[in-house]
Structures are given as C-alpha cells and as structure tokens.
Amino acid sequence: MATRKKAKKTSIIGVPNAKNIEKSIKQHLLSLLGRDPERAGPRDVYNAISYTMRDVLMEKWINTQQEYYDKHQKRVYYLSLEFLVGRSLGNSLINLGLYDEVDKALHNIGFELEEIREQEEDAALGNGGLGRLASCFLDSIATMKIPAYGYGIRYEYGLFLQRLIDGEQVESPDSWMRYGCPWEFQRTNFFYPVHFNGRIHSYVDNDGRYRSKWVETDDVMAMACDMLIPGYDNDHVINMRLWTAKASRELDLNFFNKGDYIGAVQSKVKSETISKVLYPSDTEVRGQELRLKQQYFFVAATFQDIMRRYKKKHDDSFNEFPNKIAVQLNDTHPSIAVPELMRLLLDDEGLSWEKAWHITINTVAYTNHTLMPEALETWPVELLGRLLPRHMEIIFEINHRFLQQVADTYPGDANKLRELSIIDENNGKRVRMAHLAIVGSHSVNGVAELHTHLLKTRIFKTFHEFYPGKFNNKTNGITPRRWLLKCNPDLSDLINDAIGEKWITNLEELRGLEKFVDDTAFCQKWQAAKLANKHRLAEYVAGCCGTVVDHHGLFDVQVKRIHEYKRQLLNCLHVIHLYQRIIENPDSVPVGRVKIFAGKAAPSYFQAKLIIKLICSVGDVVNHDPRVGDKLKVVFIPNYNVSKAEIIMPAADLSEQISTAGTEASGTGNMKFSLNGALTVGTLDGANIEMLEEIGEDNFYIFGMTAEEVEFEKRQLSRTPQKICATNPVVAAIIDSLRSGTFSDGDRNLFQPIVDSLMNPHDQYLLVADLESYLACQDIIDQEFLDTDLWTRKTILNVARMGKFSSDRTIGQYAREIWGLEV
Ligand code: 26Q
C-alpha cells in the first residue's frame, strides 16, 4: 500500500501496532460479537476490526472537539439529505496510517485484509453526484482541520439495488444495515423532539408584543447516530451526525393509557417511517409528503443541536451567531432551514423580525446543483401549510417583505413580482424552495464556472440583477485520498516513487509528473499499472456479466445515473455504428473497443429504463455475433455504486462526458477518470470546460455544440433530425436499425419511444444534432489509441494537470469566501 505513515499511540489500544490490533480484534470478537476468535468468520473479523478502528477514531474525535471548544472557533454545519459514503474500512485505515499494521494483524489470525474489506456493505445514502460530493467534502474538511460537521439522515434503506433481468432494471431494497453498522455510534440517550401539524396560537406577551406559539403538534423524536471521519495523516476526526426517527414516548403513553395497544404500535411505525428510505429520484421531484417530512425532520433536529452548542458559550442576545456559525445548504433540500431558524429566533428566543432576519441571512448559504427546470423543488402551499403551519406563515411574511423591496426597486413592474415571488401562483399555489433559499441566504453558489454563469444569465437572471454579488462559483472537486490513493494503489505507488507523497494533500504537486513524459522506463511502468487495473476489471466483468473482454482493447466507459440529458443513448448510437462498420468491413475499425456502461435509472423514469434495455439488447447482439470477435464488446455492469466506481475508474482508457452543453451542472465522475489516467471525450459542459483549460486541447477530445449554440439551435431548428438523416446515410442507418428490430428480435415497437425521441425536431437534448461530430471525434480517438506512446504521454499530462480538481481546493474556497474562516 502506498501509505506508510505511522499512527500515534492511543490510550484505548496503546501503540497501534499489529500485536495490539490483533489483541483488540480478539477482544471485540468476544465482548461485542460473542464469537470465539478461533471460530470467527470473515464477517465477524470485519466487524471486530471496524470496532477497533471506531475506538481509535472516537478518541481522536474527542480531542478534536476539545480543540474546537478551546479555540472558540466558528463552526460550519453542512446540511445534506444525502451522503454517498461507500465503504469506510479501507478509507479509515489509509487516513489513519494503519493499513500495513492491520494487514499484518489480520494475517496473523489467518485472514487477508482484501477479503475482509469485501465484507463491508456500501453505505449508499445518496443518489449520485450531490451525495458523493458531500462525502468528498467531509474528507477534505477533516484533512484540512476545518471545524465542521456533516448533518443528514440515517436512512435504513439506501439507494435501491439494481439487477438486470433480461436487460431490464429491477429494483430491490438496500438493507445495508441488516448485519449492523460497526462504524456508527447510536446516541440512544440523545433525543430531540420534532413537531408536525398542529395549529398556531397567537397572543400578546407581557411586553405588549405579538407572539406565536405552535401548539397541539404531532411529535417525532430524532435520535443522533454519529459516524466519524478521519482526516488524512493528521489525527483530526470530524463527525457526520445522521438522525433516526423514533416514536415519541409521550405519544406511546397516550395510546397505552387509552388501552389501544395496536394503535400505539401503528403510530410508532408511522413516526419511524420518516428515516426509512432514501428517495431514489434525482430529477422530477414530485411533492411527496414524506419527503417534506424528511427534510423538516433533519433540519429541525440539526438546529436544536446547533442552538445547544451555541448556548453553551454565548448569551441570549444572539449577536455573535453569524460570526460563530455557518450553515451550508446542499441544494434546496434543507431549505426549510430558513423559516426554521427564523421561527426559533422569533418564537423561542423572542427576537425582533429585523434582528432574526439579519442573523438568518448572514448564517445561511445555498449551493445549487442543477439547471434542469424539472428538478427545481416546489411544494404546494396547502401541504406545507398543513404540515408546518408556522413555517408557512413565516414564508408568507418573508415573501411579503421581499416583494416590497422588489416593488421599491422596480415600481409598477408586476412581471418582476411574479417572476421573483417565493410563491408560484401559476400551478396552484406552490412554494419555490430555490427562491426561498436565495432570498434567505447571503451566498448562492453554482458548482462549475459555466453552471454559475448560466444561473446568473438564465434561470436566476433577475435574482442576480436584484442581488448583485450574492451569486458566486465554487467549482466541484473530488478527494484524492479515495479517488487515487485508495482506489489505484499501483498508480499511487508509481507517483510516490517519482515525485514523493505531497500530492496526497496538495494535488497541485502532480505537476511534477510532466517531466516524466519522455522517460521510457516511467512510461512503461505507467502503462503496466493501467493494464493491471484493466485486467482486474476484465476479471470482474467476466464474473458479473459473463462477458469475456480483452483487456488490451480500448476501455471506453460511461458510468453515472441514467438520464436523457447525460446522453448514454448517444454513446449507444456509436456502438451501433461501430457494429455496422465491422459487419461491412472489419478492417475499417482499427481498434478493439470494450464499451462499458453502468448506472441506475430512477424507478419511475420510463425512458431511462428503456435506454438500459437498449444498451443490453445491443450488447446481446454484438457480443454473440461471431463476425465481431474482439473488435467490439458491450457490457452493462449492474448495480453501480461507490465500490464499483473504485474498480472501474482506474481501469478506464476513455471517459465519456457527453451531456448536452448547458445541462450538467458540473459532473465529478469526469474528474475521477482523468485523475486515474483516462482521456476524456466530452462536450463543453459543466466542469469539462475547466478540465480542458487545465489539461490543454491537445490532450482532451471535445465535440459538439456549445451551450450558446444549443440555445440558438433550439430556437432556429436549423439542423433537425429529419434534415440530418436525409443528408447523412450513416446516421440514417443507425436509426433505421432501431426501427427494424435488429436489436429486438424483430420487434419493431420495443424501441419506438427511443426513435421518437431521437427524431423529435424539438428533442431537448439534441442527440442527432451532435451525432456526426461525436462519431468523427471517436474516429480520431481510435487513431490516437493505436499510437501507444502518444496515448501514454497524454494520459500522464491529464493526471499531472488535475491539481485544481481536488476537493481540498474547493473546500478552501468555501471556507474563505463563504464561511469566513481563515485557512
Ligand atoms: C429532490 C426532491 C425530492 C426527491 C429528490 C430530490 C433530489 C435528489 C437528488 C433532487 C436532486 C438530487 C441530486 C442531484 C445531483 O446529484 N446533482 C449533481 O450534483 C453534482 C455535484 O454538484 C454535479 O456534479 C452534477 O452535475 C449534478 O447533476
């Protein structure tokens, strides 16, 4: 393993050497798991070593907390409905510098660390990019010693498991904790009440002030579960606090007193459903009541924790609040935080509206992650008003005062009022959560330069004009610990030998690799590392998909959520084109390609599921056609998750980042591939643009329309699919194959919805319009891949120039520019 750092002595296990670790494993087997160490299996051992690491983490966490407290530092609260954690064991061992000692300890008791690591279930408490970003941020926050906490929900069921049956996605529940989770500390004596429903009692207090009280509520308890996250090589440990819903005892007693035992149990089950399951959709957010309950549940519990900690050190004037606390909202999902903080300051603390509002604005900041209009959250006023009546009142008041300001700035302009209002009056009355978050915070950031530019000039243009300076950019990043050091040990070792280990916490150091591009010995080792990773993936694919792939071929990979805007379909059209060319003339395709897909479709997203079916069906035909051989293979790896990404990313030659320009906010998979030495074929979208700027256009394959051209084309309709098919027989032949049943056993209807979407002159994602440019670009890629030395040189330059995309850089910018910390 790449890390040979030695960890310091701890009071629980003493010097963390193999001998003491072995002792601790045996103790945990006995005391916590009730297993005879002689008879323990790999899962018992996994649990025991994880408990051992948890002890080490706990001790370091207590020290870290003491440090925050002593220094009286400003604390950051990162609120997210999602944390896509993945596995914790390997990551903790590396960050704590205990990998080698644990390896030895396990060896001594007859186990291999590799095998033990495989026992761990992924914690998939997120859908995709947004959730994984939150987890990368926590790794950076811990590594950079930033006084911050992550807050979220401990879902009992994470993102659904995906199987492919006959090429169709079938979902099943992800019961990731069924054997327990050895990383968490359940704080069974640490509860906060969370209120729902009820009504507002208004009264005039002794000072003659108008006050409100929320009464006759239904209550649910929030119990804290902590997962500890170590920084890299720094003894710093931070806390991710996830809330679990528990029935309130009072409610139970009420029922029991009435002798209604069954009623009591039923209501208990109902309260506890709040933290049962993660919503599996990352777009098309339909307003389900349970989702809103989840959002408020975790926000309300989190703010009680924030207040408790603040009050330990401060008087009740709350003057210091925004100087001591920063709250970052990961998208609008926790944006009920704005009226919740107002409610606490007004109703519980008795502050004036003006003062409460000043504090709220200066405490809260909002990150936007999407440009897709259908993904912007809104809630019916009726639903929000019923579930959270006091919040609805406060939102109306916020809106009233805000619209007053708008009217003062733009006298007589009713359009401006309608456009900016927090309440959308067009579709029944609905609360626009993005507007609430923008009005209620001091900072609104996008996650890549282009994304922020489009927020300012398109979807929130009028807000940007009204609040100049509020909008800012924080380009996403990824943690190099998980996404290079951990997932790609061979490449990490090679890099360490060449330039040392500083890159692990200062990714700009990778620039030092540039001077090795002409070093033949280095290049050979570089190629060997990639080949070994490809071999590992090929073995994995043979096992899970039954398809044998040649690991010398070009591994061309697209892994991400399945969505029309991400255009997996465009990639599939390239597969069909290659197949048609191979059949016609095998020599016209110079390079063997292995097309690898993976990703989940939202369970209710028909078109996305049909795209999965198409990819699998094309794969079936191609992989079984004896004329094709090693020239082309197509695989769809089921159940994509973080651990699979860790096998896939290091093995890719080519990374597909081909969303329609102007649709992908940033993308972060693009960065993971490039950091592991894949080249990118991509559009000028999201963070691809900034990657291109860093890496240089000689080392990056760009195709397709720009965001501006896309906008223009959507208005002009000058290059419709009909026109393109009429003039380009290659394109026409590809689409014809979908109509004719080539990939559906002669069934001409199966893929008709896909043909319809491709041929629709109003196709939002302009697939056919970008197809020719995409195919041409892929031909260049074939040629360049044939030149191994050229390709290797480009991959080294890609890795060397990825410094900007460390989440350490991103977090440093949030800390300085939004949270007001000195780092
Ligand atoms: C909202 C309400 C109800 C139910 C579900 C949701 C919901 C859940 C998840 C809406 C959106 C998401 C996830 C969005 C997401 O992952 N966005 C991605 O964020 C990444 C990190 O910034 C970007 O890199 C990606 O471009 C963006 O698509």
Side-chain angles (χ1 to χ4, degrees):
M1 214 343 118
T3 42
R4 292 171 203 93
K5 296 273 181 315
K6 287 273 178 285
K8 288 196 196 125
K9 186 174 170 178
T10 72
S11 65
I12 298 189
I13 63 171
V15 178
N17 56 24
K19 199 164 139 258
N20 286 335
I21 290 170
E22 184 184 331
K23 207 166 93 191
S24 173
I25 292 174
K26 287 182 174 163
Q27 270 166 4
H28 281 105
L29 281 170
L30 279 166
S31 69
L32 273 172
L33 302 163
R35 294 295 284 183
D36 174 357
E38 298 300 314
R39 290 162 178 269
R43 184 176 297 278
D44 303 314
V45 173
Y46 158 70
N47 279 315
I49 184 62
S50 303
Y51 283 125
T52 302
M53 289 306 116
R54 194 183 72 162
D55 289 346
V56 173
L57 290 168
M58 182 43 77
E59 200 173 337
K60 291 182 195 287
W61 180 66
I62 290 170
N63 294 337
T64 305
Q65 282 293 303
Q66 193 59 45
E67 203 179 307
Y68 294 170
Y69 193 78
D70 294 345
K71 288 194 192 152
H72 198 38
Q73 281 170 303
K74 181 170 185 177
R75 313 210 190 178
V76 179
Y77 292 86
Y78 194 83
L79 270 56
S80 179
L81 261 277
E82 308 196 2
F83 288 93
L84 196 38
V85 179
R87 288 176 175 164
S88 294
L89 179 56
N91 190 247
S92 299
L93 294 181
I94 288 176
N95 281 12
L96 291 170
L98 291 175
Y99 200 96
D100 293 344
E101 292 302 317
V102 167
D103 196 25
K104 269 192 246 164
L106 290 174
H107 207 76
N108 290 343
I109 58 170
F111 289 91
E112 292 301 321
L113 179 49
E114 289 273 305
E115 182 199 4
I116 297 304
R117 280 173 55 181
E118 286 302 312
Q119 302 301 312
E120 184 170 4
E121 296 275 339
D122 271 43
L125 310 185
N127 274 286
L130 167 148
R132 184 54 233 175
L133 184 75
S135 282
C136 282
F137 279 2
L138 294 187
D139 184 83
S140 288
I141 282 169
T143 298
M144 298 166 77
K145 296 194 170 193
I146 288 173
Y149 307 81
Y151 274 87
I153 295 179
R154 176 183 175 273
Y155 301 105
E156 191 177 328
Y157 295 92
L159 186 62
F160 66 86
L161 303 178
Q162 175 198 56
R163 279 172 304 151
L164 295 169
I165 297 182
D166 251 350
E168 278 166 35
Q169 168 173 302
V170 176
E171 302 93 16
S172 54
D174 165 45
S175 174
W176 68 288
M177 292 187 299
R178 66 190 175 288
Y179 304 116
C181 171
W183 297 100
E184 68 181 13
F185 278 96
Q186 290 197 19
R187 310 277 182 188
T188 44
N189 52 357
F190 199 158
F191 283 94
Y192 291 119
V194 177
H195 311 300
F196 292 102
N197 306 119
R199 62 180 183 85
I200 308 308
H201 169 65
S202 304
Y203 63 101
V204 177
D205 70 10
N206 295 338
D207 304 328
R209 277 190 39 200
Y210 181 84
R211 302 281 294 263
S212 289
K213 223 187 197 152
W214 187 8
V215 296
E216 292 165 22
T217 53
D218 299 331
D219 296 350
V220 178
M221 303 303 288
M223 181 180 90
C225 276
D226 293 341
M227 301 239 283
L228 302 181
I229 293 158
Y232 178 75
D233 188 30
N234 66 358
D235 289 319
H236 200 83
V237 170
I238 63 160
N239 188 7
M240 175 171 68
R241 176 156 284 181
L242 304 180
W243 300 104
T244 301
K246 292 276 175 195
S248 93
R249 271 185 78 73
E250 273 155 53
L251 186 120
D252 284 3
L253 288 176
N254 226 337
F255 275 101
F256 281 118
N257 290 343
K258 287 191 209 143
D260 185 359
Y261 173 72
I262 296 295
V265 175
Q266 274 173 350
S267 86
K268 183 174 158 71
V269 170
K270 199 168 161 225
S271 327
E272 295 180 358
T273 50
I274 290 184
S275 57
K276 266 290 168 238
V277 58
L278 166 75
Y279 272 88
S281 170
D282 54 352
T283 45
E284 262 244 277
V285 288
R286 276 180 298 134
Q288 277 118 339
E289 181 164 337
L290 182 61
R291 169 77 181 186
L292 184 57
K293 278 189 170 173
Q294 289 185 335
Q295 297 183 349
Y296 180 63
F297 165 75
F298 114 92
V299 164
T302 302
F303 272 93
Q304 291 179 68
D305 227 17
I306 295 176
M307 286 291 184
R308 174 185 59 82
R309 243 179 240 128
Y310 178 81
K311 285 180 178 176
K312 274 202 249 175
K313 283 242 176 179
H314 299 89
D315 62 24
D316 53 10
S317 75
F318 287 87
N319 288 336
E320 281 299 297
F321 201 85
N323 303 327
K324 289 295 167 194
I325 290 163
V327 171
Q328 189 71 38
L329 307 180
N330 200 17
D331 216 299
T332 53
H333 315 157
S335 57
I336 199 73
V338 171
E340 174 66 358
L341 181 52
M342 284 299 287
R343 185 186 71 84
L344 293 172
L345 297 173
L346 292 169
D347 299 355
D348 291 4
E349 308 299 341
L351 267 52
S352 69
W353 180 279
E354 288 71 20
K355 186 157 184 192
W357 186 240
H358 173 85
I359 292 171
T360 300
I361 298 253
N362 287 296
T363 304
V364 178
Y366 154 55
T367 306
N368 173 287
H369 296 266
T370 186
L371 289 157
M372 312 294 285
E374 65 269 32
L376 292 174
E377 259 188 304
T378 63
W379 293 102
V381 166
E382 180 280 318
L383 169 59
L384 211 152
R386 179 162 44 79
L387 206 61
L388 304 169
R390 180 65 181 136
H391 297 77
M392 197 61 247
E393 277 186 1
I394 292 172
I395 292 169
F396 278 134
E397 183 64 21
I398 294 172
N399 197 38
H400 175 74
R401 290 175 185 241
F402 165 62
L403 291 182
Q404 197 64 55
Q405 290 182 336
V406 176
D408 292 347
T409 313
Y410 306 106
D413 192 340
N415 281 335
K416 285 272 193 286
L417 296 178
R418 206 169 311 122
E419 193 189 334
L420 293 180
S421 176
I422 296 172
I423 308 295
D424 178 2
E425 313 264 354
N426 301 326
N427 313 297
K429 284 193 169 202
R430 300 180 77 93
V431 183
R432 295 160 161 162
M433 301 311 264
H435 292 209
L436 178 62
I438 296 170
V439 174
S441 55
H442 64 280
S443 160
V444 178
N445 76 281
V447 291
E449 292 287 352
L450 174 68
H451 173 224
T452 302
H453 172 73
L454 295 176
L455 290 180
K456 289 183 187 176
T457 54
R458 291 189 193 167
I459 63 170
F460 299 134
K461 179 169 186 283
T462 315
F463 272 111
H464 174 52
E465 286 159 4
F466 188 72
Y467 292 126
K470 202 184 256 202
F471 287 75
N472 64 91
N473 180 58
K474 298 287 168 282
T475 298
N476 282 167
I478 57 172
T479 169
R481 272 73 65 183
R482 184 177 292 261
W483 297 113
L484 180 51
L485 182 62
K486 171 174 186 266
C487 72
N488 201 341
D490 286 359
L491 194 64
S492 298
D493 281 343
L494 179 57
I495 294 172
N496 288 344
D497 289 344
I499 62 166
E501 295 186 10
K502 287 201 193 122
W503 62 272
I504 299 169
T505 49
N506 179 10
L507 204 61
E508 293 286 354
E509 290 279 326
L510 289 178
R511 286 270 173 192
L513 292 172
E514 285 195 22
K515 60 175 180 289
F516 291 91
V517 289
D518 295 318
D519 178 331
T520 319
F522 179 85
C523 290
Q524 276 169 1
K525 287 188 218 156
W526 187 271
Q527 289 159 8
K530 179 61 79 180
L531 205 62
N533 291 332
K534 289 169 72 174
H535 188 71
R536 179 170 65 143
L537 179 60
E539 302 257 280
Y540 180 78
V541 163
C544 78
C545 313
T547 309
V548 175
V549 302
D550 175 9
H551 67 286
H552 295 96
L554 193 171
F555 277 24
D556 173 346
V557 187
Q558 188 172 21
V559 291
K560 49 180 80 244
R561 285 297 285 255
I562 311 292
H563 198 294
E564 287 164 283
Y565 86 77
K566 295 178 187 279
R567 299 200 296 193
Q568 281 91 355
L569 180 54
L570 182 62
N571 188 352
C572 189
L573 299 182
H574 175 235
V575 178
I576 295 174
H577 170 66
L578 286 177
Y579 178 60
Q580 291 177 334
R581 263 170 51 189
I582 293 167
I583 299 304
E584 209 178 281
N585 170 17
D587 295 334
S588 70
V589 174
V591 175
R593 285 234 192 193
V594 182
K595 282 274 189 182
I596 298 169
F597 293 86
K600 294 177 183 179
S604 61
Y605 191 169
F606 172 83
Q607 201 74 0
K609 288 182 147 181
L610 194 58
I611 291 169
I612 296 180
K613 173 76 180 165
L614 176 64
I615 294 167
C616 294
S617 305
V618 171
D620 252 358
V621 171
V622 169
N623 298 345
H624 293 110
D625 189 326
R627 296 169 293 182
V628 174
D630 279 339
K631 279 268 147 102
L632 183 60
K633 285 280 174 286
V634 186
V635 294
F636 195 109
I637 299 175
N639 201 42
Y640 182 57
N641 60 17
V642 172
S643 332
K644 292 202 180 157
E646 289 173 27
I647 305 174
I648 295 170
M649 304 289 179
D653 292 308
L654 184 66
S655 154
E656 299 268 353
Q657 307 299 335
I658 59 178
S659 52
T660 313
T663 62
E664 188 71 272
S666 159
T668 43
N670 45 4
M671 302 167 188
K672 293 165 198 167
F673 280 109
S674 193
L675 185 61
N676 283 278
L679 303 189
T680 302
V681 55
T683 46
L684 289 170
D685 199 17
N688 294 353
I689 298 175
E690 289 157 78
M691 288 172 57
L692 169 71
E693 278 165 15
E694 295 293 305
I695 293 166
E697 52 189 41
D698 288 348
N699 309 303
F700 211 88
Y701 302 104
I702 286 292
F703 74 95
M705 284 181 266
T706 63
E708 300 274 282
E709 287 164 352
V710 166
E711 264 320 280
F712 187 75
E713 176 57 30
K714 280 190 190 171
R715 272 182 268 124
Q716 299 298 309
L717 303 184
S718 57
R719 300 182 59 245
T720 61
Q722 279 70 21
K723 283 190 201 163
I724 293 169
C725 284
T727 54
N728 186 334
V730 169
V731 172
I734 297 170
I735 294 172
D736 271 341
S737 75
L738 297 177
R739 287 199 190 92
S740 66
T742 311
F743 304 109
S744 45
D745 275 335
D747 180 343
R748 290 161 167 269
N749 296 322
L750 183 61
F751 296 122
Q752 191 59 42
I754 286 182
V755 174
D756 290 344
S757 77
L758 288 169
M759 297 309 293
N760 183 349
H762 300 283
D763 168 25
Q764 285 189 69
Y765 306 117
L766 298 166
L767 261 87
V768 177
D770 267 350
L771 182 57
E772 292 164 297
S773 151
Y774 180 59
L775 296 180
C777 191
Q778 291 283 12
D779 282 346
I780 296 172
I781 291 167
D782 271 345
Q783 290 308 322
E784 300 207 343
F785 187 73
L786 283 176
D787 185 343
T788 310
D789 291 342
L790 176 78
W791 189 273
T792 303
R793 182 190 169 83
K794 291 186 178 198
T795 63
I796 295 172
L797 291 177
N798 263 257
V799 176
R801 296 172 181 179
M802 281 300 289
K804 174 174 171 183
F805 303 99
S806 167
S807 46
D808 300 346
R809 187 268 311 148
T810 314
I811 281 298
Q813 290 179 329
Y814 275 89
R816 286 187 299 274
E817 296 164 21
I818 301 179
W819 304 332
L821 301 176
E822 286 158 23
V823 289

